[in-house]
Amino acid sequence: MSVRPSDLDPKIADRLKRDPNGLVPAIAQQYDTGEVLMLGWMDDEALHRTLTTGRCTYWSRSRQEYWVKGESSGHQQWVKSVALDCDADAILVKVDQVGAACHTGDRTCWDADVLDAVVGERPEPAL
């Protein structure tokens, strides 16, 4: 596993379950509406920077470098809270998104390709 040097608190780092590249998926969600915005990847240092700067920092798998969301586009993500899931193999970052979250210019990365699916209905509770 590839883990780059980081100042992340060892108590957090020891809990993370990373992929073979040392990365953990990070979901960005609009803090006040619950809208799911995007999925990015964080390593220990990206998580450390996110926790300590108030801005979302991700690891770019294509460019092999850190990037702060909105640094060049102006479409920033301001951190409101950060949580690990129960297995510590995913990160949820609740943010205040400025502008588009998707690199295509869309508000979210989930608008463009909605798939047809059978909609399930929860059964009525038994009396």
Side-chain angles (χ1 to χ4, degrees):
M1 173 173 36
S2 170
V3 178
R4 288 168 280 285
S6 174
D7 290 324
L8 182 64
D9 182 335
K11 291 176 190 169
I12 299 169
D14 289 346
R15 294 178 54 204
L16 289 178
K17 292 185 183 136
R18 302 164 193 84
D19 75 5
N21 296 311
L23 301 173
V24 178
I27 298 284
Q29 179 181 35
Q30 179 64 33
Y31 81 100
D32 53 354
T33 66
E35 180 181 31
V36 178
L37 300 169
M38 62 171 278
L39 173 105
W41 295 90
M42 291 185 181
D43 66 357
D44 292 25
E45 183 59 18
L47 179 54
H48 168 72
R49 292 179 190 190
T50 298
L51 290 170
T52 60
T53 66
R55 298 280 306 279
C56 281
T57 301
Y58 299 97
W59 176 256
S60 171
R61 296 178 302 166
S62 59
R63 296 188 309 265
Q64 293 290 295
E65 66 184 18
Y66 295 103
W67 58 281
V68 177
K69 181 69 176 166
E71 198 168 51
S72 59
S73 68
H75 299 177
Q76 301 136 346
Q77 291 178 344
W78 296 95
V79 175
K80 296 299 182 181
S81 68
V82 181
L84 296 178
D85 77 336
C86 59
D87 296 321
D89 62 359
I91 301 165
L92 176 64
V93 186
K94 293 188 179 182
V95 301
D96 189 7
Q97 176 71 46
V98 176
C102 188
H103 72 282
T104 64
D106 287 340
R107 169 76 181 164
T108 86
C109 294
W110 310 104
D111 289 344
D113 201 9
V114 177
L115 306 176
D116 288 332
V118 172
V119 176
E121 296 292 334
R122 179 171 36 179
E124 293 293 321
L127 297 176

